[in-house]
Amino acid sequence: MNDMTPVAKMTPKDWETDQEVRWCPGCGDYAILKAVQRTLPEIGARPESTVFVSGIGCSSRFPYYVESYGFHTIHGRAPAVATGVKLANPELDVWIITGDGDALSIGGNHTMHILRRNLDCQILLFNNEIYGLTKGQYSPTSREGTRSPSTPFGSVDRPAKPAAFALGSGARFVARGFDVSKNLPDVLKAAYAHKGAAFVEIFQNCIVYNKDVFADFTEKKNADDGQLWLENGKPMLFGKGAKGIALDREALTLKVVDVVDGDWQAADVIVHDVTNRSVAHMLVEMPFGSFPMALGVLYDDPAPSFESAVVAQNEQAAKGKTPDLQKLVSQGQTWTVGSGAETDAAEAGSAGSGPEL
């Protein structure tokens, strides 16, 4: 195919494989898969330039079900493999699929580093607050009191907050959604549009081991008061516009305020600014119950990506040099590593030295 050949418009069906989708009936992963398959044609993605990388867990079967390149890797190491893929070919669209256990327990170190390095990729963390694949043990995000095979008397661990972890690790894009939300594709599109590491926490219902743990805000009857969908440049309103989020200037914390007759300005409701990192931190720390669940794009402030810096560095280092593998392997057993000037001087004084590395 040359550059003049028209590219056929793709459909969600084009992103489906011939593999049987094997999750428990009713699992939230089905809805997330469909949201991704709907999103991919809308963002203009192509299978030949798209790679899905996963670790271990229920969510990590994802690459089998998307018609693209994929790697089902080892526990917690999807970010390491994804980094290698992106450095080998920066033109590829790389998606990382992981779970709360995969990304925040054995993979916590790798998740932190891919975020601080800012590799250009999309990281979708499916958070069901439980280990589903290994039969229901408590996970790093399980709530205090969670009863499971590994905590029969109730977990005493304080849970990790994925979005707070991402912000603390230096992520430049942090968002939230949930499996069956109609807004999830919009969140995925925003993540794809961001240049750098885009971290999306997706609340996912584990129908077997942690059923309806998020029902307090995901169910339709609870949506108005339980969900705060953030939109850049728009006031933080919920409860059909009757409530909002304001800043308590004395305590320097957020608070819920009533909005009378739609006058959100009089109630001092905050206008969402996706580049405000301080407010993003406060949003992810809002305790649910006293506050709604903050959803959508919480933070989006791009910075230079890791692979772009590596490519630029390599190009600079290669200036004026002609790669010659045969010369490298045939000129003696000693190779000098250093700057160009240092190497030239060393080679002038040692006839048997090899080429500069």
Side-chain angles (χ1 to χ4, degrees), residues 12-335:
K13 191 75 175 175
D14 294 320
W15 291 92
E16 297 178 7
T17 70
D18 61 359
Q19 299 297 299
E20 179 188 359
V21 182
R22 298 179 64 185
W23 286 309
C24 299
C27 175
D29 289 354
Y30 287 97
I32 300 172
L33 175 63
K34 289 299 181 184
V36 170
Q37 290 170 333
R38 287 199 304 270
T39 301
L40 289 168
E42 293 182 15
I43 59 178
R46 304 293 300 181
E48 63 271 18
S49 58
T50 302
V51 184
F52 280 81
V53 184
S54 66
I56 294 296
C58 294
S59 64
S60 293
R61 297 189 61 81
F62 212 89
Y64 296 103
Y65 308 140
V66 181
E67 187 59 54
S68 69
Y69 291 107
F71 288 88
H72 188 178
T73 71
I74 57 178
H75 209 185
R77 272 63 177 185
V81 174
T83 299
V85 170
K86 193 69 176 180
L87 289 178
N89 188 349
E91 300 304 314
L92 293 173
D93 292 334
V94 177
W95 299 74
I96 295 175
I97 306 297
T98 186
D100 46 305
D102 186 56
L104 298 179
S105 56
I106 193 170
N109 176 52
H110 293 275
T111 304
M112 176 186 72
H113 291 306
I114 198 170
L115 291 171
R116 71 169 181 82
R117 286 174 175 149
N118 199 33
L119 187 83
D120 185 25
C121 63
Q122 295 72 240
I123 304 166
L124 309 187
L125 187 152
F126 297 12
N127 182 12
N128 56 21
E129 297 188 0
I130 207 76
Y131 279 108
L133 185 66
T134 49
K135 307 301 183 280
Q137 300 92 333
Y138 84 116
S139 83
T141 59
S142 295
R143 304 175 194 185
E144 291 181 72
T146 297
R147 292 182 179 273
S148 76
S150 54
T151 53
F153 303 111
S155 171
V156 297
D157 271 6
R158 294 189 181 94
K161 297 179 180 179
F165 174 88
L167 285 169
S169 298
R172 309 293 303 195
F173 180 101
V174 178
R176 277 175 172 162
F178 61 91
D179 46 17
V180 296
S181 170
K182 65 180 181 181
N183 297 326
L184 183 56
D186 290 332
V187 175
L188 299 176
K189 290 175 191 174
Y192 181 81
H194 176 87
K195 182 68 175 177
F199 181 89
V200 183
E201 177 186 8
I202 304 175
F203 298 107
Q204 177 253 323
N205 187 28
C206 177
I207 196 74
V208 175
Y209 297 111
N210 215 15
K211 184 179 179 182
D212 296 335
V213 70
F214 305 117
D216 287 347
F217 68 89
T218 59
E219 285 193 357
K220 181 177 286 189
K221 65 180 181 180
N222 301 321
D224 290 336
D225 290 328
Q227 298 175 19
L228 169 64
W229 281 99
L230 300 163
E231 189 174 350
N232 191 39
K234 298 293 180 68
M236 297 184 187
L237 298 172
F238 66 102
K240 295 184 177 179
K243 298 178 182 178
I245 301 296
L247 178 65
D248 185 330
R249 288 177 169 77
E250 291 186 4
L252 293 180
T253 58
L254 300 181
K255 61 181 180 180
V256 175
V257 295
D258 293 323
V259 177
V260 180
D261 297 328
D263 192 351
W264 58 267
Q265 291 170 309
D268 207 18
V269 172
I270 298 173
V271 174
H272 186 42
D273 176 5
V274 292
T275 66
N276 191 321
R277 191 178 191 88
S278 297
V279 173
H281 273 285
M282 289 191 279
L283 287 168
V284 301
E285 294 290 349
M286 291 191 309
F288 183 73
S290 303
F291 291 85
M293 181 61 68
L295 300 164
V297 179
L298 288 80
Y299 181 64
D300 184 0
D301 189 15
S305 65
F306 177 68
E307 77 287 349
S308 65
V310 171
V311 169
Q313 185 181 65
N314 289 343
E315 289 176 348
Q316 182 63 34
K319 276 186 177 179
K321 299 174 184 177
T322 303
D324 189 336
L325 182 60
Q326 184 59 45
K327 181 180 178 182
L328 181 68
V329 298
S330 63
Q331 289 192 6
Q333 299 300 312
T334 304
W335 300 339

Side-chain angles (χ1 to χ4, degrees), residues 5 25 306 336 342 344 353:
T5 303
F306 177 68
T336 303
E342 293 170 345
D344 291 343
S353 65

